[in-house]
């Protein structure tokens, strides 16, 4: 069995820089037409000039003849000015700005310490029609890690959407039923990305029978019921508020298999195949193209890609590791059999 879909895009991708970038960019470029490139480098990408430099680095690292188009994102800090937003918006290469609550995840130390610090920037984004991309977790130590997304909705995100009704918001890598409900009940300006790992795994996969660091990501995997099941329903529903964003986030094997392993899962090597298996399991392969290739561009007011990819029902085994920046990386589903292959 075989079918074609419009070439997908990845609306949430980490590709790092330097040698790491060179190791992973080909994986996404092979499958995706475009990707929203996350700005959490060290130092972070905080203005249009830095976004331009980073975009050029990515273009130079692409395989020959690739037409992959990196869409750049500003990293919001307490000091992001309205001028930074205006310049970014005028640059045409910056498509969005990302809110990392300070300390929420990898390279978020320069993130926002209090949401009101970026209210002038949010006002400017709202005026410019620039989407706010949200890592939706509180970072307070008294909030349990499994509750951090739900508390963020109650204490921060609900207020932001009330204060900026015209602001476009992408609630990134949602992990809970609360987040699905928030997006469903929100205005047409509110959408969400859903990762393959939050669709295919839950906290049991990470913790039962031993700690599996390659399943550790942020926001952390939640319970199957009700959270993973709510994500599966949302992604495969055909509702245009939910679209593809892998959050593929490479780290070396060594950095993950450590007494303090870091958060992030590489899924770019087989992203579309993972989503195909999810949609097949829900008997919804006819809804894959909307989720992967049409709803994202629609939200960002961009045209869909003009070429197609072919997915073939074919068993293959994901490699145990890939070479990564002079070291190795263990990909999502390492050593496991997948039943779809992109050709
Ligand atoms: O698991 C994650 N890894 N979550 C994030 O929010 C950041 C990412 C990374 O950059 O490694
Ligand atoms: Zn991310």
């Amino acid at each position: 069995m075989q079918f074609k879909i419009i070439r997908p895009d990845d609306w949430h991708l980490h590709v790092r820089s330097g040698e790491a970038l060179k190791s992973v960019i080909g994986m996404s470029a092979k499958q995706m037409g475009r990707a929203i490139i996350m700005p959490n480098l060290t130092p972070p990408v905080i203005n249009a000039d830095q976004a331009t430099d980073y975009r050029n680095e990515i273009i130079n690292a692409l395989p020959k003849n690739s037409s992959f188009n990196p869409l750049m994102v500003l990293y919001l800090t307490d000091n992001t000015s309205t001028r930074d937003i205006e310049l970014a918006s005028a640059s045409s290469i910056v498509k969005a700005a990302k809110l990392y609550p300070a300390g929420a995840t990898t390279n978020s130390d320069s993130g926002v310490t209090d949401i009101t610090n970026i209210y002038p920037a949010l006002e400017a984004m709202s005026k410019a029609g620039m989407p706010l991309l949200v890592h939706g977790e509180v970072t307070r130590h008294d909030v349990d890690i499994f509750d951090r997304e739900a508390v963020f909705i109650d204490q921060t995100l609900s207020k932001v959407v009330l204060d900026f009704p015209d602001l476009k918001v992408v609630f990134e890598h949602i992990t809970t039923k609360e987040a699905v409900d928030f997006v469903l009940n929100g205005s047409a300006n509110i959408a969400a990305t859903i990762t393959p790992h939050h669709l295919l795994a839950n906290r049991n996969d990470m913790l039962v029978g031993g700690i599996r660091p390659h399943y550790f990501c942020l926001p952390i995997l939640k319970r199957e019921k009700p959270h993973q099941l709510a994500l599966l329903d949302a992604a495969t529903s055909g509702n245009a508020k939910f679209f593809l964003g892998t959050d593929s986030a490479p780290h070396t094997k060594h950095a993950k298999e450590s007494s303090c392993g870091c958060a992030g899962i590489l899924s770019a090597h087989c992203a579309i195949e993972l989503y195909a298996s999810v949609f097949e399991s829900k008997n919804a392969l006819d809804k894959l193209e909307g989720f992967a290739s049409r709803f994202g561009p629609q939200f960002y007011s961009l045209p869909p890609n003009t070429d197609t990819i072919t997915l073939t029902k074919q068993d293959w085994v994901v490699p145990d590791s890939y070479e990564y920046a002079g070291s190795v990386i263990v990909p999502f589903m390492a050593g496991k059999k997948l039943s779809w292959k992109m050709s």
Side-chain angles (χ1 to χ4, degrees), residues 112-170:
V112 175
T113 58
D114 181 329
I115 189 73
T116 58
N117 292 339
I118 57 164
Y119 264 35
L122 295 184
E123 186 68 51
M125 288 169 63
S126 180
K127 275 199 196 120
M130 180 186 281
L132 172 70
L133 315 185
V134 178
H135 183 111
E137 290 192 287
V138 295
T139 57
R140 293 201 338 255
H141 288 290
D142 58 321
V143 181
D144 188 90
I145 188 167
F146 291 98
D147 298 333
R148 287 179 174 200
E149 186 173 275
V151 173
F152 182 87
I153 295 170
D154 285 348
Q155 298 188 348
T156 307
L157 197 52
S158 318
K159 193 165 149 42
V160 169
V161 302
L162 280 179
D163 290 344
F164 300 96
D166 297 328
L167 181 65
K168 285 183 151 191
V169 176
V170 184

Side-chain angles (χ1 to χ4, degrees), residues 12 14 16 40 98 100 104-107 135 173 197 216-219 247 249-251 263-265:
H12 186 131
H14 300 264
R16 316 302 187 204
N40 61 332
K98 176 87 187 268
Y100 287 103
T105 187
T106 308
N107 297 342
H135 183 111
H173 44 51
H197 45 278
F216 178 57
C217 61
L218 289 169
D247 198 18
H251 294 277
I265 296 177

Side-chain angles (χ1 to χ4, degrees), residues 8-261:
D9 302 297
D10 188 344
W11 299 96
H12 186 131
L13 178 66
H14 300 264
V15 292
R16 316 302 187 204
S17 62
E19 289 307 307
L21 166 66
K22 290 180 193 154
S23 306
V24 293
I25 192 64
M27 296 174 176
S28 296
K30 196 170 141 196
Q31 300 205 335
M32 306 291 169
R34 297 161 286 197
I36 279 282
I37 305 293
M38 287 296 149
N40 61 332
L41 304 182
T42 33
V45 179
I46 58 170
N47 59 45
D49 286 345
Q50 291 174 356
T52 303
D53 290 347
Y54 186 27
R55 185 168 189 276
N56 289 337
E57 189 193 354
I58 295 169
I59 303 269
N60 288 331
L62 283 171
K64 278 206 173 46
N65 302 323
S66 172
S67 56
F68 178 79
N69 183 3
L71 310 176
M72 309 312 289
V73 177
L74 283 200
Y75 181 116
L76 294 167
T77 73
D78 285 344
N79 301 316
T80 304
S81 65
T82 53
R83 183 88 185 125
D84 291 329
I85 299 297
E86 285 157 11
L87 287 173
S89 168
S91 78
S92 84
I93 62 141
V94 177
K95 300 295 181 198
K98 176 87 187 268
L99 164 61
Y100 287 103
T105 187
T106 308
N107 297 342
S108 63
D109 295 350
S110 317
V112 175
T113 58
D114 181 329
I115 189 73
T116 58
N117 292 339
I118 57 164
Y119 264 35
L122 295 184
E123 186 68 51
M125 288 169 63
S126 180
K127 275 199 196 120
M130 180 186 281
L132 172 70
L133 315 185
V134 178
H135 183 111
E137 290 192 287
V138 295
T139 57
R140 293 201 338 255
H141 288 290
D142 58 321
V143 181
D144 188 90
I145 188 167
F146 291 98
D147 298 333
R148 287 179 174 200
E149 186 173 275
V151 173
F152 182 87
I153 295 170
D154 285 348
Q155 298 188 348
T156 307
L157 197 52
S158 318
K159 193 165 149 42
V160 169
V161 302
L162 280 179
D163 290 344
F164 300 96
D166 297 328
L167 181 65
K168 285 183 151 191
V169 176
V170 184
F171 196 168
E172 298 292 339
H173 44 51
I174 56 170
T175 66
T176 56
K177 180 171 186 324
E178 288 87 340
V180 169
D181 291 342
F182 179 81
V183 173
L184 284 174
N185 295 327
S187 79
N189 290 335
I190 317 299
T193 54
I194 308 184
T195 76
H197 45 278
H198 290 104
L199 290 167
L200 287 164
N202 59 57
R203 64 193 204 176
N204 274 10
D205 296 295
M206 180 175 58
L207 294 171
V208 171
I211 293 180
R212 294 191 187 75
H214 297 291
Y215 281 84
F216 178 57
C217 61
L218 289 169
I220 199 159
L221 295 173
K222 306 296 192 301
R223 293 170 173 274
E224 179 191 24
K225 290 186 210 91
H227 303 305
Q228 184 189 7
L229 297 182
L231 297 178
L232 283 163
D233 284 344
T236 59
S237 66
N239 186 325
K241 281 170 160 278
F242 301 100
F243 47 82
L244 187 160
T246 61
D247 198 18
S248 180
H251 294 277
T252 61
K253 178 176 196 269
H254 171 74
K256 290 200 60 79
E257 294 178 9
S258 143
S259 60
C260 186

